[in-house]
C-alpha cells in the first residue's frame, strides 16, 4: 500500500480555496475535508449554549468533546457569518487547535472511503497539520474582491447583507488569523501561491492542476 496523496489548500476567507479544494478532490477522486467546519462547529456549540466564543474554558471543553463522526456538517448554521466570526475567535486558542489536530491528521492518513488521496483546506494545513503534504497551494485574492464574493454568497443564500460590514468583519478576521501566536495564516515556504483576484473558478482550477501535474 502506498501512502495516500495529500494536497494542502490554505488561504484567507473567500479566497476561493474551498471551491478549488472541492473541485480538485472531485477531479482526482480524493476525499475532501473543509477544516474550517471543525472550528465553526466549536464556535456554534458555544453560541447554542448561550456562551461567548471568547470563553476560553468553554471553548477548550467544546473542542475536547468534539466528535466529527457525530457532527451534522450539513447544518446551515455552521455556514453563517456569526458562526464564522465565532470560529475565528476560538481558533486563536492553542488548546482548541491542539484538540482538532488528531481528526485532521487521521483524515489525511486514512481518507474516508479508501480514497487514494485527501484534499484538506484551511489556514495551517501546509504549515502545521500536514507539513509533509505532497502538494501545497496557498490561495489568495485582494480583500475587496474577497468581500464582494462573500456578499454575493450570502445574498444567494437569501441572507440580509450590509457590504461595508462584510468588508470590515473580513478585515478583522484576516488580522486575527494572520497575527495569532499559534498557527498564524501564512503560506508554507514550499507552497505555490494561486492568486484568484482575476481568475474565475475554472481558471483557478486549471492553474492548480498545472501546478500539481
Ligand atoms: O472561509 P471562511 O474564513 O469564511 O471560513 P472557514 O474557512 O470556515 O474558517 C473559519 C475560521 O476558522 C477562520 O477565520 C479561522 O480563524 C479558523 N480556521 C483555522 O484557524 N484553521 C483552519 N484550518 C480552518 C479555519
Amino acid at each position: 500500500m502506498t501512502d495516500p496523496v495529500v494536497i494542502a489548500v490554505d488561504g484567507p476567507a473567500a479566497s476561493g480555496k474551498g471551491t478549488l479544494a472541492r473541485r480538485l478532490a472531485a477531479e482526482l477522486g480524493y476525499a475532501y475535508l473543509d477544516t474550517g467546519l471543525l472550528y465553526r462547529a466549536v464556535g456554534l456549540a458555544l453560541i447554542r449554549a448561550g456562551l461567548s466564543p471568547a470563553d476560553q474554558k468553554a471553548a477548550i471543553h467544546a473542542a475536547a468533546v468534539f466528535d466529527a463522526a457525530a457532527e451534522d456538517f450539513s447544518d446551515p448554521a455552521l455556514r453563517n457569518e456569526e458562526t464564522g466570526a465565532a470560529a475565528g475567535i476560538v481558533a486563536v486558542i492553542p488548546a482548541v487547535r491542539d484538540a482538532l489536530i488528531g481528526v485532521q491528521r487521521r483524515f489525511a492518513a486514512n481518507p474516508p472511503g479508501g480514497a487514494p488521496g485527501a484534499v484538506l483546506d484551511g489556514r495551517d494545513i501546509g504549515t502545521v497539520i500536514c507539513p509533509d503534504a505532497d502538494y501545497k497551494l496557498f490561495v489568495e485574492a485582494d480583500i475587496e474582491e474577497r468581500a464582494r464574493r462573500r456578499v454575493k454568497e450570502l445574498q444567494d443564500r437569501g441572507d440580509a447583507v450590509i457590504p461595508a460590514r462584510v468588508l470590515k468583519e473580513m478585515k478583522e478576521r484576516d488580522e486575527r488569523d494572520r497575527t495569532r501566536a499559534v498557527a498564524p495564516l501564512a503560506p508554507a515556504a514550499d507552497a505555490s501561491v494561486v492568486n484568484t483576484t482575476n481568475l474565475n473558478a475554472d481558471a483557478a482550477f486549471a492553474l492548480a492542476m498545472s501546478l500539481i501535474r
Side-chain angles (χ1 to χ4, degrees):
M1 282 283 291
T2 50
D3 285 342
V5 176
V6 176
I7 303 180
V9 184
D10 290 304
S15 55
K17 68 182 186 306
T19 303
L20 176 60
R22 243 187 309 275
R23 193 148 161 201
L24 287 171
E27 169 78 14
L28 300 166
Y30 294 175
Y32 166 62
L33 180 64
D34 171 357
T35 65
L37 286 178
L38 309 177
Y39 296 89
R40 284 170 176 265
V42 173
L44 184 58
L46 297 182
I47 293 170
R48 289 205 165 135
L51 299 168
S52 161
D55 180 337
Q56 299 220 352
K57 214 168 146 227
I60 292 166
H61 176 74
V65 301
F66 174 75
D67 177 3
E71 181 70 25
D72 173 14
F73 288 109
S74 66
D75 183 345
L78 280 174
R79 291 178 169 79
N80 69 32
E81 286 300 273
E82 186 192 8
T83 303
I89 293 168
V90 301
V92 304
I93 305 167
V96 166
R97 306 198 69 83
D98 282 349
L100 298 176
I101 288 178
V103 61
Q104 298 174 79
R105 290 200 178 142
R106 278 193 297 278
F107 189 98
N110 273 306
V119 183
L120 283 78
D121 95 43
R123 300 287 190 289
D124 63 343
I125 309 304
T127 50
V128 175
I129 304 297
C130 301
D132 297 328
D134 299 274
Y135 302 99
K136 297 181 185 180
L137 302 174
F138 190 85
V139 186
E140 59 185 15
D142 293 352
I143 187 144
E144 283 78 16
E145 174 59 23
R146 290 191 283 119
R148 257 194 302 278
R149 291 178 192 166
R150 182 53 50 93
V151 166
K152 181 167 182 310
E153 192 183 309
L154 293 169
Q155 284 170 341
D156 287 351
R157 282 176 18 175
D159 290 358
V161 222
I162 303 168
R165 192 162 153 196
V166 171
L167 177 61
K168 179 172 169 283
E169 287 178 359
M170 194 167 277
K171 281 184 178 159
E172 287 168 4
R173 193 126 64 91
D174 269 15
E175 176 70 12
R176 210 180 279 126
D177 285 348
R178 290 183 205 270
T179 59
R180 68 182 170 218
V182 176
L185 171 67
D190 52 351
S192 303
V193 175
V194 175
N195 189 312
T196 69
T197 308
N198 297 307
L199 299 183
N200 63 21
D202 287 342
F205 174 68
L207 174 57
M209 284 302 285
S210 74
L211 292 167
I212 284 170
R213 288 240 160 98

